[in-house]
Amino acid sequence: MEKKYLFKIAGIEFTTYRLVMTVFFSAALIWGVNNYLYKEKAFKDSAETTGKVTFLQNSKGVRVSLYPLIHYDYQVNGQKYEASQKSQDGLNPNIGECIKITYSRIDPSVSKINFKAGVVSCK
């Protein structure tokens, strides 16, 4: 039985499956690039605050990581934000400890952990 294809572009025969996968992966790639560029632009005007570690999540399964995913919260102008980031540079804080957070003044919900500062005292 011969496979039916919807159309052919540059010698590539597009079945329904191939078309759906191409559209899906193209959309995912565009979203990822857009998200990355948005964050890079947002961090051009940034500030620092102190955040508190609320939860540590270790990976499970085949890809076990030595560094946990750090969930943290922080406040900017009285507004509370929550975020998470995978630990780096050997930073392994405990729940309740404080860490330095760099956030965007343009969009305070965009943040990242300042790993070089390490664990800091809570104010």
Side-chain angles (χ1 to χ4, degrees), residues 36-53:
Y36 173 78
L37 292 175
Y38 175 78
K39 286 185 178 182
E40 287 300 310
K41 183 179 178 184
F43 278 123
K44 290 196 187 266
D45 184 18
S46 62
E48 281 200 341
T49 189
T50 303
K52 188 174 272 192
V53 177

Side-chain angles (χ1 to χ4, degrees), residues 38-47 76 81 103-110:
Y38 175 78
K39 286 185 178 182
E40 287 300 310
K41 183 179 178 184
F43 278 123
K44 290 196 187 266
D45 184 18
S46 62
V76 177
Y81 297 95
Y103 67 92
S104 167
R105 290 178 201 246
I106 299 166
D107 182 359
S109 67
V110 177

Side-chain angles (χ1 to χ4, degrees), residues 19-47:
L19 177 64
V20 168
M21 289 293 104
T22 301
V23 169
F24 174 77
F25 285 115
S26 297
L29 178 67
I30 291 168
W31 177 83
V33 169
N34 186 41
N35 192 30
Y36 173 78
L37 292 175
Y38 175 78
K39 286 185 178 182
E40 287 300 310
K41 183 179 178 184
F43 278 123
K44 290 196 187 266
D45 184 18
S46 62

Side-chain angles (χ1 to χ4, degrees), residues 49-116:
T49 189
T50 303
K52 188 174 272 192
V53 177
T54 57
F55 183 69
L56 297 171
Q57 181 179 0
N58 289 314
S59 60
K60 297 177 183 139
V62 178
R63 294 184 171 189
V64 176
S65 174
L66 297 175
Y67 301 111
L69 184 65
I70 301 171
H71 295 263
Y72 58 92
D73 61 23
Y74 60 101
Q75 284 192 4
V76 177
N77 298 326
Q79 177 74 36
K80 184 177 178 180
Y81 297 95
E82 295 177 356
S84 61
Q85 187 176 343
K86 190 171 185 177
S87 183
Q88 300 174 14
D89 299 331
L91 178 66
N92 286 314
N94 294 316
I95 295 172
E97 289 184 324
C98 291
I99 51 179
K100 280 286 184 194
I101 305 298
T102 303
Y103 67 92
S104 167
R105 290 178 201 246
I106 299 166
D107 182 359
S109 67
V110 177
S111 67
K112 61 185 175 182
I113 299 171
N114 180 344
F115 290 104
K116 291 182 181 175

